[in-house]
């Protein structure tokens, strides 16, 4: 039995699909690891905080409602942080990034856990 | 055990039921619709005090007006049976402190204000004495804008506006945070902030804000 997978660009057989997925996973893991590394430095500058915060939302693929629940703040607060309209006091930034690091680690576990469902 | 915490969106419905029951008996409190109340919870930062059964004892909020670039503290409700126990003052301080810590409005030169009806003496002591907000002037609003509130004979709602003032309001908040010992008038009380953040963080941050001002 040959299982075919439709992608944006081509039709792949199972072996090719597995390889593409593996490459994709490697890239995701590298991106998540790079994010964790960046989140370990706490920017003093509010605009830099917001840039990194917005980048994290994008990499972690998490919406503002989820983060609002996680941080126990309002959704508009999450939006203002991401847009650079406001930022928590510098003393409150490390706990934000610590939580984001935890979330990134959880996402990493998905890629490192074996076996994985297709 | 008392618990002070932000009202999460999932909790908006229960908080609204309490608000509705409370505002029905008070013509000094604006009775919001469920949708409008949910918007306050979703878009603002509503804070609650609850007892060990998770029943609501008090509510308040801090809401940002993007047009005026102003934060408003308000919506204070305290269960009649729990008046005079410091719940309202604690809740308003937490709504204010949370705004200062999470949004840094002082750095952004954003105003923080509170409005009180002329006919409502209840929150004035908290706003003027506990928060050290200063009277800034009177305001008049047509009653159709805020239906349900007590209007004068001409159909206007009369109120007073108070402003957060530096350094008095910040000093008062720092003093309260530093003196917090986990009790409110001898009753055990827990304050739930953002994960990883404690009142010690608040005290340090507010101290830095006060230093920057001076």
């Amino acid at each position: 039995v040959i299982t075919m997978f439709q992608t944006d660009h081509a039709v792949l057989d199972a072996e090719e699909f597995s390889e593409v997925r593996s490459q994709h996973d490697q890239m995701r893991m590298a991106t998540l690891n790079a994010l964790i590394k960046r989140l370990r430095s706490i920017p003093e500058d509010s605009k830099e905080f917001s840039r990194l915060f917005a980048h994290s939302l994008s990499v972690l693929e998490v919406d503002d409602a989820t983060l609002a629940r996680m941080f126990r703040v309002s959704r508009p607060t999450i939006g203002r942080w991401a847009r650079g309209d406001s930022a928590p006091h510098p003393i409150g930034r490390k706990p934000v990034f610590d939580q984001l690091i935890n979330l990134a680690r959880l996402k990493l576990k998905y890629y490192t856990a074996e076996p994985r469902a297709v | 055990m008392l618990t002070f915490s932000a009202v999460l969106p999932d909790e908006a419905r229960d908080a609204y039921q309490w608000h509705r029951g409370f505002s029905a008996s008070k013509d000094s409190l604006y009775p919001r619709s469920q949708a409008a109340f949910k918007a306050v919870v979703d878009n603002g930062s509503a804070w609650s005090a609850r007892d060990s059964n998770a029943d609501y004892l008090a509510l308040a909020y801090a809401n940002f007006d993007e047009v005026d670039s102003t934060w408003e503290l308000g919506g204070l409700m305290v269960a009649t049976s729990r008046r005079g126990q410091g719940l309202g003052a604690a809740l308003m301080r937490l709504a204010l402190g949370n705004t200062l810590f999470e949004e840094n409005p002082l750095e952004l030169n954003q105003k923080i204000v509170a409005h009180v009806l002329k006919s409502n003496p209840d929150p004035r002591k908290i706003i003027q004495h506990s928060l050290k907000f200063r009277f800034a002037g009177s305001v008049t609003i047509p009653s159709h804008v805020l239906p349900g509130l007590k209007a004068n004979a001409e159909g206007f709602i009369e109120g007073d506006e108070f402003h957060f003032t530096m350094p008095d309001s910040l000093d008062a908040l720092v003093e309260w945070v530093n003196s917090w010992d986990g009790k409110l008038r001898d009753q055990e009380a827990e304050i739930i902030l953002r994960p990883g953040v404690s009142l010690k963080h608040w005290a340090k941050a507010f101290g830095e804000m006060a230093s920057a001002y001076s």
Side-chain angles (χ1 to χ4, degrees):
Chain A
V1 177
I2 298 174
T3 309
M4 307 297 279
F5 299 90
Q6 177 73 52
T7 72
D8 289 343
H9 304 292
V11 177
L12 306 175
D13 64 26
E15 193 177 330
E16 288 168 329
F17 178 78
S18 177
E19 188 175 329
V20 167
R21 194 186 69 183
S22 173
Q23 287 171 0
H24 171 266
D25 288 2
Q26 293 295 326
M27 286 172 67
R28 278 291 293 162
M29 288 168 69
T31 306
L32 288 166
N33 277 314
L35 177 67
I36 290 171
K37 196 175 172 187
R38 283 187 68 187
L39 288 170
R40 287 201 178 112
S41 64
I42 315 297
E44 278 287 314
D45 178 63
S46 296
K47 293 294 177 196
E48 185 53 35
F49 165 83
S50 290
R51 271 193 290 273
L52 187 46
F53 185 74
H55 175 66
S56 302
L57 265 62
S58 170
V59 171
L60 295 170
E61 298 172 337
V62 62
D63 61 37
D64 55 355
T66 304
L67 280 188
R69 270 196 299 277
M70 198 169 102
F71 289 124
R72 300 188 70 91
V73 298
S74 73
R75 284 177 66 181
T77 296
I78 296 293
R80 283 189 287 271
W81 287 357
R83 289 192 304 273
D85 292 343
S86 76
H89 186 276
I91 288 169
R93 291 175 194 172
K94 184 175 182 298
V96 170
F97 287 169
D98 286 347
Q99 293 247 138
L100 293 175
I101 287 171
N102 288 340
L103 194 54
R105 283 186 177 140
L106 274 176
K107 299 249 174 192
L108 269 175
K109 271 189 186 172
Y110 170 80
Y111 295 105
T112 52
E114 291 289 349
R116 255 181 65 201
V118 175
Chain B
M1 166 74 95
L2 293 169
T3 302
F4 293 96
S5 66
V7 180
L8 301 179
D10 303 342
E11 299 163 342
R13 189 174 166 183
D14 286 346
Y16 172 72
Q17 296 300 340
W18 192 78
H19 160 80
R20 190 172 69 163
F22 188 89
S23 59
S25 62
K26 300 278 283 183
D27 60 7
S28 56
L29 191 79
Y30 181 45
R32 295 173 189 273
S33 65
Q34 186 163 1
F37 187 85
K38 188 173 185 310
V40 167
V41 172
D42 285 348
N43 299 328
S45 297
W47 280 77
S48 67
R50 287 187 272 188
D51 64 15
S52 49
N53 296 319
D55 290 332
Y56 285 90
L57 303 174
L59 284 171
Y61 66 79
N63 202 38
F64 185 58
D65 183 330
E66 296 198 2
V67 176
D68 295 334
S69 199
T70 298
W71 288 93
E72 171 152 15
L73 291 185
L76 179 61
M77 296 168 263
V78 180
T80 308
S81 62
R82 304 302 291 261
R83 298 271 173 87
Q85 297 174 18
L87 284 171
L91 208 51
M92 290 289 269
R93 285 175 172 126
L94 288 168
L96 173 62
N98 187 65
T99 301
L100 292 170
F101 190 80
E102 302 294 7
E103 306 276 357
N104 227 347
L106 302 183
E107 188 180 291
L108 299 166
N109 292 317
Q110 293 166 342
K111 277 194 300 185
I112 306 171
V113 307
H115 291 105
V116 184
L117 283 179
K118 288 269 190 206
S119 56
N120 186 14
D122 294 345
R124 288 171 188 272
K125 191 177 166 193
I126 291 172
I127 290 167
Q128 289 185 283
H129 298 124
S130 301
L131 303 184
K132 303 284 184 196
F133 277 32
R134 196 170 296 158
F135 175 73
S138 296
V139 291
T140 306
I141 300 167
S143 60
H144 66 83
V145 177
L146 296 169
L149 291 185
K150 190 176 183 180
N152 63 19
E154 287 77 42
F156 288 94
I157 296 159
E158 295 176 299
D160 291 329
E161 184 171 302
F162 297 87
H163 287 185
F164 176 95
T165 54
M166 283 290 272
D168 296 356
S169 299
L170 191 57
D171 288 346
L173 190 61
V174 170
E175 190 181 334
W176 180 77
V177 168
N178 283 327
S179 67
W180 178 256
D181 62 356
K183 287 182 180 175
L184 190 70
R185 310 251 174 113
D186 295 331
Q187 187 169 5
E188 297 286 332
E190 175 189 29
I191 295 172
I192 300 174
L193 303 178
R194 172 156 60 81
V197 173
S198 70
L199 284 183
K200 285 182 181 172
H201 291 98
W202 278 23
K204 195 173 173 195
F206 300 156
E208 286 187 10
M209 289 177 198
S211 299
Y213 177 80
S214 61

